[in-house]
Amino acid sequence: MPNWLLPENIADVLPSEARKIEELRRLMLDNFRLYGYELVMPPLLEYLESLMTGAGKDTDLRTFKLVDQLSGRMLGLRADMTTQVARIDAHLLNRATVTRLCYAGSVLHTRPSGLHATREPLQIGAEIYGHAGLEADAEIQELALASLALAGFDSVRLDLSHVGLLRAIIAQDVAAGRDEAALYALLRAKDAPGLRALTASYDAVTRDALLALPNLYGDIDVLARAREVLPPLPGVLKALAELAALAGSALGRAEVAIDLADLRGYQYESGAMFALYVPGLPNAVARGGRYDHVGEAFGRARPATGFSLDLRELARLLPTAERKHSIRAPWGSAPELKEKIAELRKAGEVVIQSLPGHSNEQDEFECDRVLVLADNGSSWILKNLG
């Protein structure tokens, strides 16, 4: 086997694709700043016990683990930056007021998250800490939609769900509470026969509500049907009201869908959750939601909500960028030439100097002008090529 082959679902990013990714990163981070988000940069690896604090089983399975040659302790390469940013908020910043943080960086997965997905996503996201109200959830949802709009996507589907529904339904049933993990798996798979078998001994109200959840999906009208078939428990009514508000705030900006059995992220999410889909990709391009309890694992409970997406996956859906018009210049040390090149670059022009004996061959640039010495022999001027 050639020694230059890369592992499965790991790939180099070539110039034109790298430029698309970097331009998206800059656009989104600059937009986050306009909303008041501060940039943080967590480390790529941490002690495993720190990295897994507050994370679910899914994150543990996706995390590469290795032994630290200095301390002998286990290290983990981050599979998700969310808990790292929560740690920064809880321990390093330690603010009493609302904190808005954003981040961008590579993460590593032991297995790809979906069809054709990379195991080295470039994750970018934003989080709000310190506000338990729905206003924070609405801002995060708006920011996620704005990020996709910046990337040029005008056809977006927003899928909404809420983990509070399941927890409210099973709270009064001891048997259901013991089976919470199994119920989560069956609902996520929409396994109706499995649900009927597992819930056979449950209280009738609990059983009927659980059996109804897999069929409660569709457009925003699903919420009205849910109010009719689900028990009027305070937690259920609160969750449905929050979903209605978030769906209403997105109307006109995205196609809104509701799926009350979609419980991805259930292990650490605590409230409303959303996923964003765009044409050309079967997997969600962005996910977000509320996770108020993660901070407790760091000794400081803080309301929290946020979202993230993979820039590499997003960039793959965009058309190849047009080659940038540029200027070809000769190699030389004449002060007048250097001064002219510096002047052009300061004005935002791409100037590529031809090294002696070589021609320029680049994917990103198209030299449509050339810098030549004027007839007077002392000044440099631009001439069009072709």
Side-chain angles (χ1 to χ4, degrees):
M1 182 176 69
N3 58 12
W4 46 262
L5 286 181
L6 295 174
E8 291 184 54
N9 297 91
I10 297 290
D12 295 306
V13 183
L14 300 183
S16 59
E17 192 72 7
R19 173 53 51 187
K20 283 196 296 183
I21 293 170
E22 176 60 14
E23 288 179 350
L24 280 176
R25 187 190 70 85
R26 293 181 187 181
L27 271 175
M28 291 184 187
L29 287 179
D30 287 346
N31 192 52
F32 293 168
R33 187 168 180 80
L34 295 178
Y35 281 73
Y37 288 76
E38 300 171 277
L39 181 65
V40 293
M41 296 180 179
L44 182 61
L45 78 168
E46 293 190 32
Y47 289 123
L48 190 61
E49 57 267 32
S50 170
L51 199 60
M52 291 297 103
T53 300
K57 184 179 179 182
D58 287 350
T59 303
D60 185 31
L61 292 173
R62 287 186 298 158
T63 300
F64 278 100
K65 303 172 178 72
L66 64 153
V67 177
D68 184 6
Q69 297 298 306
L70 294 180
S71 66
R73 295 171 62 183
M74 289 298 295
L75 300 175
L77 292 169
R78 66 187 182 205
D80 179 42
M81 296 174 73
T82 307
T83 54
Q84 291 185 298
V85 179
R87 173 181 56 77
I88 289 173
D89 171 71
H91 281 303
L92 300 181
L93 298 179
N94 200 28
R95 297 171 181 168
T97 57
V98 169
T99 300
R100 291 175 170 88
L101 300 178
C102 62
Y103 52 89
S106 291
V107 296
L108 286 170
H109 293 168
T110 54
R111 292 178 178 272
S113 59
L115 190 65
H116 305 307
T118 176
R119 290 197 289 162
E120 189 190 3
L122 180 54
Q123 187 180 22
I124 188 169
E127 318 289 331
I128 298 179
Y129 301 96
H131 185 69
L134 196 63
E135 297 86 357
D137 301 85
E139 180 176 306
I140 285 294
Q141 181 179 287
E142 176 189 334
L143 193 57
L145 288 170
S147 297
L148 293 186
L150 281 174
F153 293 96
D154 53 12
S155 179
V156 179
R157 192 184 86 217
L158 170 70
D159 281 14
L160 288 167
S161 57
H162 202 299
V163 301
L165 283 170
L166 176 58
R167 289 175 180 156
I169 290 169
I170 68 176
Q172 306 303 318
D173 192 309
V174 176
R178 286 197 299 264
D179 295 334
E180 183 175 359
L183 288 169
Y184 154 72
L186 291 170
L187 286 168
R188 183 172 175 178
K190 288 187 166 53
D191 185 350
L195 270 177
R196 282 194 293 270
L198 183 63
T199 61
S201 62
Y202 291 4
D203 174 81
V205 174
T206 302
R207 186 171 193 262
D208 290 345
L210 291 171
L211 293 177
L213 285 179
N215 298 313
L216 291 172
Y217 63 90
D219 60 21
I220 196 170
D221 293 337
V222 165
L223 297 176
R225 283 200 288 127
R227 292 188 185 94
E228 295 173 359
V229 300
L230 296 180
L233 300 168
V236 170
L237 296 177
K238 179 176 182 290
L240 294 177
E242 290 181 353
L243 289 176
L246 292 172
S249 69
L251 290 176
R253 302 187 64 186
E255 174 192 351
V256 178
I258 309 290
D259 188 348
L260 300 187
D262 184 0
L263 298 173
R264 293 181 183 88
Y266 180 83
Q267 292 171 320
Y268 72 88
E269 301 281 2
S270 62
M273 303 182 294
F274 67 84
L276 295 176
Y277 294 85
V278 295
L281 188 68
N283 314 311
V285 72
R287 290 191 178 276
R290 181 163 286 279
Y291 55 99
D292 291 344
H293 305 302
V294 171
E296 293 177 1
F298 297 107
R300 184 169 181 250
R302 287 261 281 174
T305 183
F307 88 98
S308 66
L309 58 82
D310 176 12
L311 284 174
R312 291 180 67 166
E313 197 164 50
L314 193 65
R316 188 163 54 86
L317 301 175
L318 299 176
T320 302
E322 293 185 2
R323 298 173 72 187
K324 185 174 178 61
H325 295 297
S326 58
I327 298 167
R328 188 172 70 229
W331 184 261
S333 57
E336 297 83 2
L337 174 62
K338 289 186 172 183
E339 183 179 334
K340 183 63 177 179
I341 290 173
E343 176 188 320
L344 290 168
R345 286 173 176 163
K346 188 175 182 180
E349 295 280 5
V350 174
V351 182
I352 303 170
Q353 286 187 275
S354 299
L355 296 174
H358 296 276
S359 59
N360 292 317
E361 185 178 338
Q362 283 121 346
D363 293 335
E364 287 193 73
F365 307 110
E366 179 181 358
C367 291
D368 60 347
R369 290 157 293 165
V370 62
L371 193 60
V372 297
L373 191 62
D375 293 338
N376 61 16
S378 62
S379 60
W380 293 86
I381 59 173
L382 289 176
K383 277 193 175 182
N384 291 328
L385 290 174

